[in-house]
Amino acid sequence: MIKKNNTRSANLTLGGITLGFFVSYPFYLQGSVIGGLISSGCSAGMIGGLADWFAVTALFRRPLGIRPSRILRTEIIPQNRERIFAALADMVQNELISQELLKRKLSAWDFSGVLLHVFQEQEVQAKMSDMLVNLLQAIRNREDQEELRRQIKELLNDNLRDLNLSATLAEVIEFSMEHRDIDNILQSICHTISGIIDQPAVQETLKDMIEAALKRYEDNNSTRKMIGMFLPSSAELAQGLQAKVKVTLEDGTVQKWLRDLLLKFALELKTKTLLQERVDGLIFAALDSGLKTLAVKDIFAGPLETGYLNNNWPILLEKFKQNNDLRGMVNQEVKSFLDKQINIHHNAIGRIVREGLDPLTDDKLIELIEDKAGNDLQMIRINGSVVGGLAGMLIYILGMVLR
């Protein structure tokens, strides 16, 4: 859809009113009532149009080459770019993506359902199988086979509490990091999430969220409405956010963040008692519901094949899907962790917005705002000319009546 060029209409309106003034003024001097009425209206419209032209132009540039001063303010937007950027960053951080909104969305998020969706991908299953096979092979090749068998036997005899499972998990994570097995899994997860983010339904959901947030932000506040006018449409914001998330997922940023997060998690597993207790509880529940039905002894004793895991993924996923208690515990632990991260890192949203805006030069900033709100601002000029003209005619008529 081609945008209407209101700049041309505003210039034609001002030019027409100016021409009308010069044509009608001689008739006004001759005492013509009609000439005086038209001349007064065109005079006031010309003054109003010129004043509004100066005001609109002063937002972006220096009309007539006038430099910014205490009396005449020009280049208002370039001169206040830091305040505008700060207001936009604050709006995105504290209104569009506020902590309350994120936590409300998080509370309704079914992480275990997302986990099931990710692990239904054949590529993820294959990479996870390879990683687990390598890990289990390394465990099986340990020198102290008798101790390993004893631990497995105790595990199967429900003596799980005697094992420091959280410390074992920390060692498994570090082992995976050292052998780069985890990188393939993280890469597959990022790729899968990127595919989900790219769905039209996700963009539509983001668009609805942004529209609702903008409506709340602008509600009964003229200043916020003015700031909101400079923003792209909710659909463009949603598309831009979608593209930004995809780039972050695909350029390795998220993968590196997840890797660092796992390393930090492994370190905390070794040092924080409360976290160890919570992780142990989660592991106990998973082992109670899953390991009792698996031939663990055969897995370690016999040859370990990747195909074993590949053939049993549907069974394992179905068991996890049907185990509401385990899924609830997983959701609770993940949400608790993410809630903590929101509290710690929420301020990064504003910083990211500022970092995205800072590269904008004054010319690019002006171009962006004019593209989004320029036509609406030109309507101010048209309204100034029309309203000024009507006011001038009214004043002339009142003068004739009261004479």
Side-chain angles (χ1 to χ4, degrees), residues 99-115:
Q99 285 196 37
E100 293 75 16
L101 177 63
L102 289 175
K103 291 182 178 181
R104 188 163 62 250
K105 295 295 182 182
L106 178 62
S107 65
W109 186 36
D110 181 17
F111 174 77
S112 62
V114 176
L115 199 62

Side-chain angles (χ1 to χ4, degrees), residues 13-25 42 46:
T13 301
L14 180 59
I17 288 178
T18 303
L19 179 62
F21 169 73
F22 285 116
V23 172
S24 61
Y25 189 69
C42 289
M46 181 175 61

